[in-house]
Amino acid sequence: MDYWSKLYIPTLKETPAEAEIDSHKLLLRAGLVRKIGSGIYAFLPLGAKVLENVKRLCCEEMNRAGAMELLMPAVVPAEYWKAGPRWNAAREIMYQVASAGEKAEFPEEPTFVLGPTHEEIITPLIGGEATSYRDMGKTFYQVQTKFRNEIRPRYGLMRAREFIMKDGYSFDATDEEATATYQNIAKAYERFFARCGLKFISVEADTGVMGGAFSHEFMVPAEVGDDDVVYNIESGYAANVEKATSALVPADLEDAAAVGEIEKFETPGVKTIEKLAQEPFNIPADQQYKTLLFVGDDKLFAVVVRGCDQVEEAKLGSLGYSLIRPATVDEIFEAMGAYPGSLGAVKGTIKNREKLDGIFGDNAIRLIGNGVTGANEKAMHLKNVNVVRDLDIDRFGDFRKVQAGEPCPVSGKPLEIQRAIEVGHIFKLGTKYSENEEYGAQYVDKDGNRQAAVMGCYGIGISRTLQSIIEQKHDGNGIVWPWSVAPYQVIITVLDPGMEEADTLALKLGEAAEAAGASVLVDDREERPGVKFKDADLIGIPLRLTIGGRGLKNGEVEMKWRDRDEVQKVAIADAESVLVEGIKAKS
């Protein structure tokens, strides 16, 4: 049992200017964290308690799934990363560590880095010793501080430079066993987020620079989320917008026949899709071909989508490029002979076609059939452009962002899109890391053959989950903590501290609550009742008991659950039993 007067709980009446979203405001106002630097936060005592509760629940579910906890260093030799498959992709978000000494300087190639994740460490760590098929079927995890050189930290713990993460890694002998492990961990994640009191969605996700066969994200719906989730409740389909598909283009769609010869026409001052859709041209965006250029691994390529669509850059990873960026104006002109606003992919109109590693058409442009595109000449466009006859497409694929209302790929019913916060991500990595000879993650099978371990990796943002709970569980008065993660589960508010009868009853009820399994905070401060009530609501303790002189005269105490409006008056003689009964119902 703790007493408020002996603790450090610096609540704030006003919201600091730095906070943009509700959960960030409440983190600061409830005295959970304080900002040390951009994207860097200290956890104060209440915040540390919640963090520990979230971590405990996570570890319990990982242990229940058969995983083993270990701890790897945060400072790691850069050589481990350089030996792996994603050094070039990841180094821009990694902090490097200088050697000690007055004249220490950062070398062009760092010697040590701060780990944003640990695939490059766990693979040689375990792979170097697990050499037999008997050593396979193992899953390891850690809860550790991670570091990411976030360019624009924001929203408190949501997008921070230093954060707490649970990362896990599995090693299996076969693909089937790896899939079973993946599904086992996915169930553990579902149990964990449910125990945290969160409403969440498991969605198909892009594997990104991690690679691997497939992945799923665990998303918490929230208006301030940093990702879009595409879903249909009826069918159960759900995917991150980076991965989502739709049934917009029918599987049996026949390509349209040409309607006439290509015609060139003047379009003075037209440099955008929107401008071409206006008077005097009136060409709808969904009848225009939009040509965009990118650079993938230093190779220039083009993507053609409908004018009403946006390219989903994550989907461009299916083309086999590791690092992708938009092409510069100069790079575009050198290949196309024209600037953005006049670009097109019609055969014979591209100045230096050989400079393009490929031209890739989104499947949805087949819905246009015959449309309008740039002529690769200033203020000129082409009409009657037929997909099959005229466009210089090397390959078709899914490169566009799905839009709300499009048919679900499972049921055909309209898709919905909602913002959400990513709190967990799991990957079936396959052999991307283990087949690396420098990592040594190979084993000898029953027949004496050398095989690469089939790996999986599993991440949960512990500190991000903490803030996500606040984002989903709050009202106008403050945080509404779920019982499982609250810093204290019961707060006993003594309105007349120093009154022997009040203090004695507070002690008695506190001990009964602790015996029933609850953590207890006694507010014994010399403050006005209004201040105490407001602070109790702000920090979000699930159950509040109020003991005051007037109530004692009437032989009663007040009991109020944080997530309910009503206040229950309980006879002192019954208070202990009612309290214990309420705690047991929550435990």
Side-chain angles (χ1 to χ4, degrees):
M1 194 183 320
D2 289 330
Y3 288 82
W4 195 308
S5 63
K6 299 182 183 302
L7 298 179
Y8 183 66
I9 309 177
T11 59
L12 302 174
K13 292 182 180 179
E14 304 297 328
T15 300
E18 69 182 84
E20 301 175 70
I21 62 175
D22 288 341
S23 56
H24 188 192
K25 295 173 183 177
L26 290 171
L27 276 171
L28 296 168
R29 288 194 56 220
L32 300 174
V33 304
R34 286 293 182 264
K35 181 179 177 180
I36 301 302
S38 180
I40 303 172
Y41 289 84
F43 287 86
L44 300 182
L46 280 192
K49 281 181 172 292
V50 180
L51 189 71
E52 184 59 32
N53 288 337
V54 175
K55 173 185 172 181
R56 173 180 51 79
L57 294 179
C58 181
C59 291
E60 286 177 0
E61 292 304 332
M62 289 301 293
N63 293 340
R64 180 179 171 187
M68 295 170 281
E69 187 173 8
L70 47 64
L71 184 62
M72 292 176 280
V75 179
V76 298
E79 63 192 66
Y80 285 90
W81 278 83
K82 293 174 184 177
R86 54 177 179 164
W87 171 244
N88 290 332
R91 63 180 303 177
E92 65 182 27
I93 57 95
M94 298 177 71
Y95 286 104
Q96 65 183 70
V97 181
S99 300
E102 293 182 3
K103 297 182 179 180
E105 296 180 357
F106 286 110
E108 191 169 319
E109 285 294 321
T111 304
F112 295 94
V113 295
L114 296 179
T117 181
H118 276 67
E119 284 78 7
E120 281 75 4
I121 308 304
I122 191 74
T123 308
L125 175 66
I126 302 302
E129 298 185 37
T131 57
S132 167
Y133 69 92
R134 297 184 183 88
D135 300 322
M136 295 294 103
K138 303 291 192 302
T139 302
F140 306 88
Y141 77 94
Q142 65 173 349
V143 179
Q144 192 210 50
T145 302
K146 305 288 187 180
F147 304 87
R148 179 185 174 92
N149 188 11
E150 187 68 58
I151 297 175
R152 288 180 293 275
R154 60 187 309 197
Y155 299 159
L157 306 177
M158 291 293 193
R159 190 175 295 174
R161 288 180 165 140
E162 178 183 299
F163 50 96
I164 310 297
M165 176 177 162
K166 187 285 301 178
D167 48 318
Y169 310 91
S170 61
F171 296 80
D172 284 292
T174 67
D175 189 72
E176 293 75 17
E177 291 169 354
T179 298
T181 299
Y182 182 95
Q183 294 170 343
N184 182 41
I185 298 299
K187 291 177 181 177
Y189 273 41
E190 291 173 359
R191 294 192 299 267
F192 164 68
F193 291 119
R195 290 181 69 186
C196 287
L198 286 168
K199 295 179 181 178
F200 65 93
I201 305 172
S202 173
V203 305
E204 296 177 24
D206 182 66
T207 57
V209 298
M210 294 294 296
F214 50 81
S215 74
H216 284 80
E217 289 175 340
F218 291 80
M219 311 290 286
V220 174
E223 291 303 316
V224 298
D226 47 10
D227 286 295
D228 285 324
V229 173
V230 180
Y231 66 97
N232 178 268
I233 295 177
E234 184 176 332
S235 69
Y237 175 79
N240 186 298
V241 70
E242 295 179 345
K243 181 75 173 180
T245 61
S246 75
L248 181 68
V249 182
D252 57 355
L253 178 69
E254 294 185 7
D255 289 310
V259 297
E261 295 302 316
I262 291 180
E263 295 181 26
K264 185 184 296 185
F265 63 103
E266 295 184 4
T267 51
V270 173
K271 295 183 179 181
T272 65
I273 297 293
E274 293 75 16
K275 195 74 172 177
L276 196 59
Q278 298 171 2
E279 294 282 354
F281 305 105
N282 297 320
I283 300 168
D286 63 2
Q287 295 302 306
Q288 299 182 46
Y289 303 104
K290 180 166 58 179
T291 304
L292 302 168
L293 270 71
F294 298 87
V295 175
D297 300 337
D298 297 325
K299 297 176 182 179
L300 196 65
F301 67 93
V303 178
V304 183
V305 297
R306 297 185 303 168
C308 59
D309 287 330
Q310 291 181 300
V311 169
E312 176 49 70
E313 291 192 27
K315 292 184 177 181
L316 301 182
S318 65
L319 298 173
Y321 304 111
S322 298
L323 292 175
I324 297 174
R325 62 169 174 83
T328 65
V329 171
D330 290 341
E331 289 169 331
I332 292 170
F333 186 81
E334 184 178 358
M336 306 296 289
Y339 293 106
S342 302
L343 303 181
V346 172
K347 298 171 185 176
T349 67
I350 301 172
K351 181 179 180 182
N352 294 303
R353 175 64 169 87
E354 70 281 358
K355 290 187 177 295
L356 295 178
D357 192 51
I359 300 178
F360 307 102
D362 180 73
N363 292 326
I365 66 173
R366 296 174 57 222
L367 295 172
I368 299 176
N370 296 275
V372 173
T373 191
N376 292 320
E377 295 180 33
K378 184 178 180 181
M380 300 295 290
H381 279 75
L382 302 173
K383 61 181 178 179
N384 298 333
V385 176
N386 181 263
V387 170
V388 176
R389 182 191 67 184
D390 304 317
L391 293 181
D392 194 358
I393 303 295
D394 293 307
R395 169 179 150 195
F396 283 91
D398 178 18
F399 308 120
R400 60 184 287 278
K401 285 186 177 180
V402 169
Q403 299 180 39
E406 292 179 13
C408 169
V410 177
S411 67
K413 299 295 177 65
L415 290 168
E416 298 181 57
I417 298 179
Q418 183 172 358
R419 297 293 288 173
I421 302 164
E422 179 191 338
V423 288
H425 204 158
I426 61 178
F427 299 82
K428 184 181 175 186
L429 292 176
T431 59
K432 176 178 179 178
Y433 294 85
S434 57
E435 65 189 9
N436 185 331
E437 291 295 334
E438 292 190 53
Y439 285 165
Q442 291 93 38
Y443 68 94
V444 177
D445 64 19
K446 293 180 181 180
D447 299 321
N449 299 315
R450 191 172 177 80
Q451 307 284 355
V454 186
M455 293 178 60
C457 70
Y458 318 95
I460 287 176
I462 300 295
S463 48
R464 177 178 270 220
T465 295
L466 183 157
Q467 186 170 339
S468 297
I469 295 170
I470 300 175
E471 189 64 41
Q472 204 172 71
K473 305 285 186 180
H474 72 273
D475 60 19
N477 296 319
I479 303 169
V480 184
W481 287 117
W483 187 266
S484 59
V485 298
Y488 293 94
Q489 293 157 328
V490 176
I491 181 168
I492 301 176
T493 302
V494 182
L495 300 184
D496 300 288
M499 179 187 292
E500 184 177 355
E501 186 179 355
D503 292 343
T504 300
L505 181 58
L507 179 61
K508 178 184 178 182
L509 293 177
E511 289 177 341
E514 288 188 327
S519 54
V520 180
L521 173 64
V522 177
D523 188 350
D524 61 335
R525 295 175 296 166
E526 294 285 351
E527 287 282 5
R528 290 177 286 108
V531 172
K532 292 189 172 188
F533 292 150
K534 284 183 178 296
D535 278 347
D537 282 348
L538 176 61
I539 66 175
I541 308 304
L543 178 58
R544 186 183 80 212
L545 297 178
T546 302
I547 300 173
R550 183 181 302 175
L552 292 174
K553 287 181 181 179
N554 296 330
E556 61 188 21
V557 297
E558 291 183 352
M559 181 180 294
K560 183 183 182 301
W561 293 93
R562 178 64 180 84
D563 59 355
R564 303 174 195 170
D565 292 332
E566 64 271 14
V567 177
Q568 181 182 4
K569 294 185 182 299
V570 181
I572 292 176
D574 300 327
E576 184 174 330
S577 61
V578 173
L579 172 61
V580 170
E581 183 180 343
I583 291 171
K584 289 183 177 179
K586 286 287 187 178
S587 301

